[in-house]
Amino acid sequence: MSHSITSEVDDASAHPSSASLAPWAPDSWQQRQALQQPSYDDPDELARAGAHLAQLPPLVTSWEVLALKQGIAAAQDGKSFLLQGGDCAESFADCTSPVISNRLKVLLQMSLVLVHGLKKPVLRVGRFAGQYAKPRSANSETCDGLTLPSFRGDVVNGQEFTAEARRPDPQRLIQAHAHSALTMNFVRALIDGGFADLRHPEYWDLAWVEHSPLAAEYRQMVAAIGDSLQFMETLAGPVTSFSKVDFFTSHEALLLHYEQALTRQVPRNPGWFNLSTHFPWIGMRTAALEGAHVEYFRGIRNPIAVKVGPSVTPDQLLPLIEVLNPHDEPGRLTLIHRMGNAGIGSALPPLIDAVKRQGRRVLWVADPMHGNTESTSNGHKTRRFDNIRGELDQAFDIHAAAGTRLGGVHLELTGEDVTECLGGARDLSESDLDRAYKSMVDPRLNYEQSLELAMLIVRKSVGAKQSG
Ligand code: PEP
Ligand code: CO
């Protein structure tokens, strides 16, 4: 099969705004250029789906959203650490019990490793219950002479290369909301029901550590967590559950018709909330100052994040901060830098300096995944564990040298035993990738690689503090 990609012309870059801002409304983004949106062929069908969605109950509540904002404010002060992770793209087909519970388990275990090692609370944020829209580098894809719209995630169209599947279908907006609600419902029930029974050692899968230089450290840590739990239970009785507000959701708020329909006002809390998720973020490709996404985000009260890639300059970043957080509100703005292991050393310091010079309050988070994607000779998209680790290590060092703080990590991971990223304790090679490559879009860390990375974060962070 021959694939060719048409180039996208709509990747505009940010320019400082001179115009003063017009009044905001949930649909004021429609006056701006909206990148990365599908072309729906029937505007009435889209309007009907939007109206239906606007009637459906929200997925999260305003008080949860505000609790997360407070949590992020605490992370900005160094009092907690943000762990944000999950699939690159969720799919409707993966809305199943094992996929959801394994993903929750690995995130929970990573967070316990971090709590134990960093000696501070961890804010747990999943990339789930709504991560159904993907930006693409091309609007269409050509295969064997047939040109069809690109796959933009299950909320837009189907992945199969047929005209029927690739047609952007407004009904999928409703389906995405339903699948998000199913995911949310199961996650909430698992957490409420004492899902993580840490007293059972088999809960902690130890098979992988034999392959790791971190084996002794990992075993010690699992034993220590068990001891602490026993100590707590001796004092206070059985620890049966984690509190419901302990897990938050996030997704890239890319498809603005969907986000608009879930933007709501609530009794007793002024303003507008995006109640499709606690913590929406703006992707790297849609962060133009004058663009529709920034317009939409400036008006919602959620804590928000912006992905910051290597081409962003201080002159672009500062006006963006001004528009998105004009009053320097604590907890409001997180910057997720995703520079690549090779680029972070030169790209990040000028941005940190500029934000520091302006005295702006942000939470700095590292995404060591998206700047480290490469293709293997047999056509798999992959990432090397060493590059992921290398970018994270550098992120800790660069912030320590600048007198700022790396306050969290943003990872693509799964609880499944996939083989998508190279390296790690089992040293996965290119030939291993054929065995269990399942991602629809970007390669994810598997269960073992995720836990190993959590341990390395602790080691690096504690080490950076001791030497700094
Ligand atoms: C993503 O998080 O899956 C993504 C597309 O990231 P970015 O916007 O940083 O490229
Ligand atoms: Co991705």
Side-chain angles (χ1 to χ4, degrees):
M1 273 202 296
S2 60
H3 280 260
S4 68
I5 303 269
T6 57
S7 72
E8 184 164 271
V9 287
D10 58 1
D11 263 13
S13 57
H15 295 291
S17 176
S18 48
S20 64
L21 294 166
W24 183 91
D27 64 355
S28 57
W29 64 268
Q30 296 191 20
Q31 307 307 315
R32 305 283 191 97
Q33 186 187 23
L35 303 186
Q36 297 285 344
Q37 307 300 296
S39 321
Y40 290 103
D41 55 21
D42 181 348
D44 293 340
E45 194 187 359
L46 177 63
R48 278 196 303 277
H52 181 184
L53 197 54
Q55 296 303 314
L56 292 171
L59 296 161
V60 302
T61 64
S62 61
W63 55 91
E64 291 168 346
V65 167
L66 293 176
L68 178 63
K69 203 189 251 181
Q70 275 185 6
I72 293 175
Q76 288 173 335
D77 291 338
K79 293 186 188 126
S80 66
F81 190 80
L82 177 82
L83 170 65
Q84 186 177 19
D87 285 312
C88 180
E90 287 180 283
S91 69
F92 294 168
D94 273 349
C95 184
T96 67
S97 167
V99 169
I100 294 168
S101 55
N102 285 336
R103 186 175 51 212
L104 200 64
K105 176 178 163 177
V106 70
L107 283 168
L108 193 54
Q109 288 187 341
M110 289 174 81
S111 74
L112 291 172
V113 169
L114 294 172
V115 168
H116 182 259
L118 303 179
K119 309 271 179 270
K120 59 172 83 162
V122 167
L123 273 178
R124 304 175 181 95
V125 178
R127 271 179 76 115
F128 57 53
Q131 178 54 19
Y132 289 116
K134 294 311 297 175
R136 300 311 302 260
S137 54
N139 287 326
S140 63
E141 193 182 337
T142 300
C143 186
D144 288 341
L146 178 63
T147 299
L148 294 175
S150 294
F151 171 58
R152 291 187 176 273
D154 277 1
V155 62
V156 174
N157 55 2
Q159 195 170 28
E160 205 190 336
F161 196 74
T162 63
E164 198 191 352
R166 289 293 175 90
R167 172 186 176 261
D169 178 358
Q171 283 312 311
R172 285 177 171 268
L173 297 167
I174 312 294
Q175 290 166 7
H177 175 271
H179 284 83
S180 300
L182 291 168
T183 304
M184 213 49 222
N185 181 58
F186 190 43
V187 166
R188 289 186 192 276
L190 285 172
I191 291 168
D192 266 0
F195 150 76
D197 194 345
L198 308 176
R199 280 154 299 204
H200 289 279
E202 67 273 18
Y203 179 82
W204 294 89
D205 182 351
L206 295 169
W208 67 278
V209 293
E210 288 156 32
H211 305 269
S212 165
L214 298 170
E217 225 168 300
Y218 186 72
R219 287 206 182 86
Q220 258 172 27
M221 187 207 62
V222 172
I225 291 174
D227 286 351
S228 321
L229 200 72
Q230 212 176 0
F231 179 69
M232 256 158 61
E233 294 196 324
T234 310
L235 287 180
V239 176
T240 50
S241 71
F242 286 83
S243 134
K244 179 157 53 182
V245 291
D246 244 354
F247 246 103
F248 297 95
T249 64
S250 68
H251 66 250
E252 179 176 348
L254 182 68
L255 189 59
L256 291 173
H257 285 289
Y258 180 84
E259 306 301 335
Q260 179 190 323
L262 284 152
T263 303
R264 308 284 172 87
Q265 285 177 302
V266 299
R268 287 179 296 284
N269 266 325
W272 293 86
F273 290 84
N274 180 329
L275 297 181
S276 77
T277 189
H278 300 115
F279 190 26
W281 79 82
I282 307 181
M284 185 186 75
R285 292 162 191 78
T286 48
L289 184 64
E290 309 284 0
H293 291 79
V294 170
E295 170 61 18
Y296 170 75
F297 270 73
R298 81 178 169 91
I300 55 172
R301 288 196 57 200
N302 302 57
I304 61 171
V306 184
K307 293 281 204 93
V308 180
S311 66
V312 174
T313 63
D315 287 354
Q316 292 168 335
L317 186 61
L318 293 177
L320 208 52
I321 294 175
E322 186 58 39
V323 168
L324 293 173
N325 192 17
H327 307 299
D328 207 36
E329 184 195 359
R332 163 71 173 168
L333 186 60
T334 295
L335 298 180
I336 305 173
H337 46 77
R338 32 89 81 226
M339 304 296 187
N341 188 34
I344 187 170
S346 54
L348 185 57
L351 299 179
I352 294 179
D353 282 352
V355 173
K356 239 174 52 176
R357 250 196 335 272
Q358 292 289 313
R360 301 312 291 247
R361 188 194 322 250
V362 300
L363 180 68
W364 293 104
V365 168
D367 164 359
M369 313 298 293
H370 287 89
N372 292 310
T373 315
E374 55 185 286
S375 291
T376 66
S377 48
N378 49 1
H380 286 303
K381 238 183 175 189
T382 192
R383 293 164 174 153
R384 289 170 201 277
F385 190 86
D386 284 347
N387 286 339
I388 294 168
R389 180 188 179 179
E391 180 167 353
L392 263 185
D393 280 355
Q394 290 191 70
F396 276 107
D397 291 340
I398 290 168
H399 280 289
T404 46
R405 190 183 298 107
L406 186 67
V409 292
H410 180 112
L411 304 169
E412 285 186 346
L413 54 81
T414 168
E416 308 299 297
D417 181 22
V418 299
T419 54
E420 297 172 5
C421 291
L422 299 170
R426 276 187 215 261
D427 200 17
L428 295 183
S429 66
E430 288 197 14
S431 59
D432 289 315
L433 296 190
D434 288 326
R435 186 154 45 84
Y437 196 102
K438 298 186 189 158
S439 176
M440 288 206 304
V441 193
D442 288 339
R444 303 159 295 177
L445 297 167
N446 63 24
Y447 176 77
E448 300 179 349
Q449 291 168 328
S450 301
L451 276 179
E452 189 180 355
L453 198 66
M455 302 216 38
L456 292 168
I457 290 170
V458 167
R459 203 185 244 196
K460 183 68 195 176
S461 161
V462 172
K465 219 181 297 160
Q466 278 162 3
S467 63

